């Protein structure tokens, strides 16, 4: 494996990522504040249809413009 470098998680917010099994083919990286940042990669799959915590997190992003603004997220990424 080739090391490509370090990247801060904040720099990934809003990044487009391939999601071949998604109906859309790609998804955006969004903050998920209920994740323990001290372990793992910090990038996880959010499944609002199956996880109440993921659903609540998505609803927070949809309903709180100030939260979207804080993280630099475009409305259309969560609406």
């Amino acid at each position: 494996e080739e090391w490509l470098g370090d990247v801060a998680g904040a720099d990934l917010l809003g990044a487009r990522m391939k999601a071949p099994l998604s109906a859309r083919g790609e998804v955006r990286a969004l903050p998920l504040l209920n994740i323990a940042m001290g372990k793992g990669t910090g990038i996880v799959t959010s499944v609002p249809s199956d996880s109440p915590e993921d659903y609540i997190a998505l609803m927070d992003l949809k309903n709180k413009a100030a939260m979207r603004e804080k993280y630099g997220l475009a409305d259309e990424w969560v609406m």
Side-chain angles (χ1 to χ4, degrees):
E1 268 182 54
E2 180 183 348
W3 181 258
L4 299 176
D6 294 322
V7 63
D11 294 336
L12 295 174
L13 291 175
R16 293 183 350 209
M17 299 181 185
K18 288 184 181 180
L21 300 179
S22 167
R24 297 181 181 179
E26 71 177 28
V27 295
R28 297 277 183 167
L30 302 173
L32 192 58
L33 303 178
N34 60 337
I35 298 300
M37 297 306 290
K39 64 182 189 178
T41 64
I43 298 200
V44 298
T45 302
S46 173
V47 186
S49 62
D50 296 339
S51 167
E53 287 182 337
D54 291 355
Y55 178 80
I56 291 167
L58 180 60
M59 291 293 94
D60 281 346
L61 288 173
K62 285 184 175 221
N63 295 322
K64 298 178 180 177
M67 184 179 251
R68 293 191 303 276
E69 185 176 330
K70 174 181 178 180
Y71 292 106
L73 305 175
D75 292 347
E76 62 267 16
W77 298 349
V78 298
M79 298 302 199

